């Protein structure tokens, strides 16, 4: 079944996170458990689902952070310490927004990366072949070119209206 289209609010929030992380060169975006996740240096840092942010913070501050208004644990059973949902009222000012972005980025260098997943059937797959390209761009016989992805320009920094009020 195809994924549902994202709401305008969700797209706007994704764009705001993208803009907040635009100064970094090590950001990757991908779908993760129904969210639009932003990985920094190969580690999940911030994600968006609906109108909420999922932030990854230091597990040792879990107790302190779970007492904050407009936040809730990802896993109330305590299995995912350091992951918190932040409701829109929790990032409605620039100060609040900056707090969550800065906290997630500050913890990221200390966060553990998930081990890379093994591809299914990797043992049965045919051995990888290297493709050589000559200086003139000709390929040896029997090789094919993969379709090149068009290079996309990074969007210029935009001001976002996700904030109900400025500080």
């Amino acid at each position: 079944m195809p994924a549902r289209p994202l709401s305008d609010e969700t797209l706007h929030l994704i764009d705001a996170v993208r803009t907040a992380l635009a100064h970094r060169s090590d950001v990757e975006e991908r779908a993760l458990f129904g969210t639009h996740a932003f990985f920094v240096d190969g580690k999940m840092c911030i994600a968006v689902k609906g109108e909420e942010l999922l932030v990854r913070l230091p597990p040792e501050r879990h107790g302190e952070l779970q007492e904050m208004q407009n936040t809730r644990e990802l896993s109330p059973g305590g299995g995912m310490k350091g992951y918190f949902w932040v409701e829109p009222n929790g990032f409605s000012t620039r100060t609040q927004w900056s707090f969550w972005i800065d906290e997630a980025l500050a913890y990221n260098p200390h966060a553990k990366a998930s081990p890379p997943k093994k591809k299914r059937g990797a043992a049965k797959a045919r051995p990888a072949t290297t493709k050589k390209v000559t200086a003139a761009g000709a390929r040896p016989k029997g090789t094919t070119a993969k379709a090149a992805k068009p290079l996309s320009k990074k969007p210029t920094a935009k001001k976002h209206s996700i904030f109900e009020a400025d500080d």
Side-chain angles (χ1 to χ4, degrees):
M1 179 155 44
R4 292 185 195 165
L6 299 174
S7 70
D8 288 343
E9 293 82 10
T10 301
L11 292 171
H12 196 63
L13 185 54
I14 289 168
D15 196 41
V17 173
R18 187 177 290 132
T19 299
L21 300 177
H23 66 283
R24 301 194 57 113
S25 62
D26 57 351
V27 176
E28 179 186 352
E29 298 179 30
R30 56 182 138 143
L32 178 72
F33 302 120
T35 69
H36 185 92
F38 292 83
F39 286 72
V40 175
D41 191 27
K43 298 171 265 188
M44 201 297 282
C45 187
I46 301 170
V48 173
K49 184 172 185 178
E51 295 181 25
E52 295 184 317
L53 289 177
L54 176 64
V55 291
R56 185 177 186 188
L57 304 168
E60 57 273 7
R61 292 185 54 205
H62 191 87
E64 165 196 344
L65 294 164
Q66 87 184 74
E67 298 298 321
M68 293 180 75
Q69 288 186 337
N70 302 307
T71 63
R72 69 181 189 283
E73 301 169 80
L74 171 63
S75 173
M80 298 290 289
K81 287 198 180 286
Y83 290 86
F84 287 92
W85 289 109
V86 183
E87 299 169 357
N89 287 340
F91 57 85
S92 62
T93 67
R94 290 186 193 281
T95 300
Q96 291 171 320
W97 175 258
S98 294
F99 172 80
W100 295 114
I101 299 293
D102 294 345
E103 288 289 317
L105 287 173
Y107 175 62
N108 186 265
H110 309 287
K112 256 177 87 174
S114 297
K117 292 184 179 179
K118 294 180 182 177
K119 292 184 180 180
R120 291 183 188 181
K124 296 178 184 177
R126 62 182 177 183
T129 58
T130 57
K131 295 179 182 174
K132 295 180 182 178
V133 179
T134 63
R139 285 179 196 78
K141 287 185 178 180
T143 62
T144 58
K146 288 186 178 179
K149 292 183 181 179
L151 295 176
S152 60
K153 294 182 182 177
K154 285 191 175 184
T156 57
K158 300 181 214 171
K159 292 185 179 182
H160 290 279
S161 60
I162 62 169
F163 313 110
E164 292 177 4
D166 281 329
D167 302 328

